[in-house]
Amino acid sequence: PQTVMATEQPRSLFALSAAAVSRSMAALERDVWALPGHLLRVLLPLLTVFRLERAEDAARRAGLSTQPIWRKLWDDVMKTRPPNSESITCWRKKFLETFFSNVLHGVLDISSDWRLNDRHFSPLLHSSPHVSQLTLCSMLQGAVELTAEHNHKVLENLAGSLQILKFQHLLSCDQSIRRSLVLLLHRLIHHGSVSQVSMYSWPVPDTVLLVLILTMSAGFWRSGNALAYHSSPCGLCREEDKAQSQESAQEGAERSCNAEQEGSGGENQKRSPKEADADMSSVLSGSTSPSLRNPACEETSSEVPSGHTSIQGGSSPPSSSEQLSCHTIPRKTRRWLKPAVGRKRRCLRRSRGHYADPEDLYDFVFTVAREGSSGLLDKTKTTEGETTENWTSSSPGSPCTGHTGCKKRGGPAGILSLKAAHRFRSVSTLELFSVPLTGETCRTLSNLLSSWVSLENLVLSYNGLNANISCILSGLQALSRHPECCFRALRVSDMFSHMPCMELVCCILRALPQLHTLFVSFDLKNQLEGSRPEASPSCSEAEIPESCLEVLEIRFPREPLHTAFLLPVLKASKSLQQLSLDSATLPCPQELGLLLEVLRECTPNLKKLSFHDVNLAEHQKEVLLLLQDPGLKEITFSFCRLFESSSAEFLSEIINTVKRNSSLKSLKLPGNRLGNHRLVALADIFSEDSSSALCQLDVSSNCIKPDGLLEFTKKLEGHIQQRGGQLPFTHLHLFQNWLDQDAETAQEALRRLRAVCSVVNDAWDSSQAFADYISVM
């Protein structure tokens, strides 16, 4: 006992000393960072979050990692398991980012843990530099808090660190909250680094709020109190305004000299303000060039109501303030219109006080929603209830041709023209999940998209678009003709399909040949059999131009897969590298064979091919042909019933085919009811006589039990020994298998497997799959 006490006493004293040091870090911090590694290792877990965050450099110099400490902090404070925890590479960032969000929304009490209590620690201020994505919810109280004066430095930190801004479960809010949101978006998007805006789960969206977020994400906004920060203009805009004023003064002097030498120079100067205004209005209206203008819009009356300035060069003169602004800096006004991604635009000076009234937000939002492609507000010719020919009959080449929203819409007197808006920095990714979009909102979004040159990715998921998808495509087609267009990826998914999937794919590729990634997904066919429009001649007969498509994923609403309809798409997509077909039915046994022939002839660069929920039970020959293809690097047969009616010979043929294929790197077979015996047989892919280069095998959801996994492991170890320890196999996926039935055996199998390769699995309750278990027995 005395010996035991003698050995325990120093550890106890050391722990007490470390605790005392941790309480005096304010005075001892510099000396503590100089301690040797073995002492620092004991001290780090005793530090508060504030001190631990500051200890990173010292720990790195001592060869120590703080990741286990941050992981323990997560477990103790958050008390939840984060999704995809296996992929988290930095627990420090994960903890501080989540900590920031929880404190902002009031769901975490910092007094709940002593490590969060430090008089030097400001929760939002010190965690904000680590926040790369942020979610704002319900009444947007987070936006109000972040734009409060005492959080000015927090907002500055977010402007430099935040990349993704999400909105979830939003509710209608009052004018003061919207003003806070305007300031937040202006700082984080227009003068910040946010590159992605996402909106989730908004069953009944507030039109004003939705259009406000869309418009500012696109880089558009106007001057006035909406951009004032505590009764003063945006500081960054003010600095840019000062620099531009100095530049304009210099340009004015140069123009005075040039005017004396060129007799016609004055006349040209007088025209430039109107041209600049016309260009700005056309940017928001979707008519960025004569070739993109809507013919239906051009047919409308050119009369302009009193008090409005015609952007077409009408007789109504500009106001004195407009004349002063335009004639003072005409070249700079034209420079605002250059669509440079990432360039920060200034807002107008507050000297234009007559625009800065309390209704700025409402006026601008509804102007964006209602102003037609001509940029005019003609209340005498068109009413809100006006109806025209269904625009779905228009060709994809003309933006919203014949669409009600492309006509000039009526509106209350005094709504300002969109030429009052200016272009700022905009985001590159826009995502809308479960946010219903009305026809009016779709027209607004279409107009914004037509000049959104920084946009690279657009995700529209469960928005109830139906026929309105054509309006969105019109805006994207106008955008694609812009010389600085960056648009590359479109993802569209919804409950019901407005038209057959392949017809929609063809229309999209005709309108957007520069697309690199296209994802189209529908759950069900339209409920009303007669509600689908007949095939448009432009979509069924016109050729698809050669496209840049590299990734194509189609999820059919249980529609037949007709190769004849897919053929023109594949012929136009010579650069296609990845093809995924989901939930398609094969109308006849020969259809899959025809598809394989088309793939070989038309897609020489295809590297990844995926089938999900496609019944391939009767297509064994085609499956083997695919596994022989030397060009494919990754093949996926997910929930394809491969072994539903097959014999043992079919499994042997699969194994032998893969063994001979030296180009296949990944084979994914989730949901095919492999069971234990088929899994064990798959280990022969890596036998001594195999030339396979397979690196990744996915056998998730395959009714695998612990004893079968252990037997597979032992067989794999035997093959590795025969091959002298050389094996290309690196990753095994085991999600949703029955490994919980014998925890001890499962742990042994996983331990031995992890010595061979990286294993990805989850804690899954196999009792949920009892019915599937009975079918395999």
Side-chain angles (χ1 to χ4, degrees), residues 100 124-125 128-129 134 136 142-162 165 180-189 191-194 229-230 236:
F100 178 93
L124 294 181
L125 179 62
S128 56
L134 176 65
L136 298 178
V144 177
E145 178 66 20
L146 290 175
T147 53
E149 190 169 6
H150 62 272
N151 281 324
H152 176 71
K153 182 58 179 175
V154 175
L155 190 57
E156 292 298 307
N157 288 343
L158 288 178
S161 66
L162 196 66
L165 182 59
S180 297
L181 178 62
V182 167
L183 176 60
L184 185 73
L185 295 176
H186 181 62
R187 186 64 188 91
L188 297 182
I189 297 177
H191 294 298
S193 55
V194 170
Y229 183 46
H230 302 293
L236 294 173

Side-chain angles (χ1 to χ4, degrees), residues 508-740:
I508 291 174
L509 290 180
R510 288 190 187 97
L512 307 170
Q514 84 289 356
L515 269 186
H516 287 195
T517 300
L518 175 59
F519 175 80
V520 175
S521 170
F522 294 103
D523 295 339
L524 302 168
K525 296 180 182 179
N526 205 317
Q527 289 177 317
L528 300 177
E529 194 65 32
S531 63
R532 285 193 181 190
E534 294 185 6
S536 170
S538 61
C539 284
S540 59
E541 298 176 3
E543 282 192 19
I544 301 176
E546 185 172 347
S547 72
C548 303
L549 198 65
E550 297 178 355
V551 179
L552 175 60
E553 299 183 21
I554 307 174
R555 181 168 177 261
F556 298 85
R558 291 296 168 190
E559 286 181 358
L561 172 60
H562 293 289
T563 305
F565 297 155
L566 188 59
L567 179 59
V569 173
L570 297 178
K571 281 186 174 180
S573 307
K574 302 295 184 183
S575 302
L576 192 67
Q577 299 180 19
Q578 181 175 336
L579 175 63
S580 176
L581 302 174
D582 186 344
S583 303
T585 59
L586 299 173
C588 64
Q590 296 78 23
E591 200 68 40
L592 186 58
L594 294 174
L595 175 61
L596 299 189
E597 292 180 12
V598 171
L599 289 176
R600 281 195 296 267
E601 295 175 2
C602 302
T603 56
N605 298 309
L606 190 66
K607 298 292 185 291
K608 298 180 180 180
L609 179 61
S610 173
F611 293 92
H612 176 78
D613 198 12
V614 178
N615 189 352
L616 300 179
E618 305 298 330
H619 296 81
Q620 299 176 11
K621 177 183 176 181
E622 289 78 8
V623 168
L624 293 175
L625 287 174
L626 283 173
L627 292 173
Q628 293 173 8
D629 193 322
L632 293 174
K633 305 296 182 185
E634 179 179 307
I635 299 178
T636 301
F637 298 114
S638 175
F639 294 88
C640 290
R641 312 180 195 178
L642 287 183
F643 306 102
E644 188 173 276
S645 59
S646 66
S647 60
E649 288 75 14
F650 179 52
L651 178 62
S652 299
E653 290 175 342
I654 288 179
I655 294 171
N656 291 330
T657 301
V658 175
K659 285 171 65 173
R660 294 191 297 268
N661 190 338
S662 59
S663 60
L664 187 64
K665 303 294 183 183
S666 175
L667 178 59
K668 300 181 179 180
L669 303 171
N672 284 289
R673 300 184 180 182
L674 286 172
N676 283 356
H677 66 288
R678 292 193 182 96
L679 174 68
V680 174
L682 286 179
D684 288 334
I685 292 175
F686 307 101
S687 62
E688 187 178 8
D689 61 341
S690 173
S691 58
S692 171
L694 197 67
C695 301
Q696 179 176 330
L697 179 63
D698 188 343
V699 290
S700 301
S701 303
N702 268 299
C703 314
I704 297 169
K705 293 187 285 188
D707 55 339
L709 184 62
L710 182 59
E711 188 177 350
F712 169 82
T713 303
K714 292 177 179 178
K715 194 170 185 180
L716 191 62
E717 289 173 339
H719 290 320
I720 293 175
Q721 187 175 6
Q722 294 174 358
R723 298 176 61 144
Q726 301 296 323
L727 190 68
F729 187 48
T730 58
H731 289 81
L732 178 66
H733 291 252
L734 289 167
F735 291 111
Q736 295 185 353
N737 279 299
W738 300 344
L739 302 185
D740 60 336

Side-chain angles (χ1 to χ4, degrees), residues 161-293:
S161 66
L162 196 66
Q163 300 290 324
I164 301 173
L165 182 59
K166 298 180 180 180
F167 298 92
Q168 191 168 16
H169 304 303
L170 292 186
L171 302 173
S172 298
C173 54
D174 58 29
Q175 183 80 345
S176 63
I177 295 178
R178 282 196 293 270
R179 290 184 182 279
S180 297
L181 178 62
V182 167
L183 176 60
L184 185 73
L185 295 176
H186 181 62
R187 186 64 188 91
L188 297 182
I189 297 177
H190 300 166
H191 294 298
S193 55
V194 170
S195 60
Q196 175 178 324
V197 169
S198 303
M199 286 178 264
Y200 297 82
S201 304
W202 201 357
V204 186
D206 181 332
T207 303
V208 174
L209 197 57
L210 175 59
V211 174
L212 171 64
I213 296 172
L214 291 175
T215 304
M216 296 197 72
S217 298
F220 286 108
W221 197 239
R222 49 168 288 179
S223 63
N225 288 338
L227 291 181
Y229 183 46
H230 302 293
S231 301
S232 62
C234 169
L236 294 173
C237 290
R238 191 169 59 244
E239 292 175 6
E240 293 178 2
D241 181 55
K242 181 179 178 180
Q244 290 171 355
S245 297
Q246 294 174 351
E247 184 178 345
S248 66
Q250 182 179 355
E251 291 176 348
E254 294 175 357
R255 287 196 303 274
S256 298
C257 295
N258 294 336
E260 296 177 0
Q261 299 175 2
E262 300 178 10
S264 61
E267 183 178 354
N268 292 334
Q269 287 293 344
K270 291 179 182 178
R271 280 203 317 268
S272 62
K274 291 182 180 180
E275 293 171 358
D277 284 346
D279 289 343
M280 173 53 69
S281 184
S282 66
V283 164
L284 276 123
S285 66
S287 301
T288 54
S289 69
S291 62
L292 298 181
R293 287 176 187 162

Side-chain angles (χ1 to χ4, degrees), residues 106-150:
V107 297
L108 177 63
D109 182 8
I110 60 173
S111 64
S112 61
D113 194 291
W114 65 268
R115 289 164 292 188
L116 306 180
N117 287 305
D118 192 307
R119 63 187 180 88
H120 301 285
F121 183 50
S122 174
L124 294 181
L125 179 62
H126 289 102
S127 58
S128 56
H130 302 274
V131 178
S132 60
Q133 61 178 339
L134 176 65
T135 301
L136 298 178
C137 305
S138 61
M139 294 293 292
L140 294 171
Q141 290 301 320
V144 177
E145 178 66 20
L146 290 175
T147 53
E149 190 169 6
H150 62 272

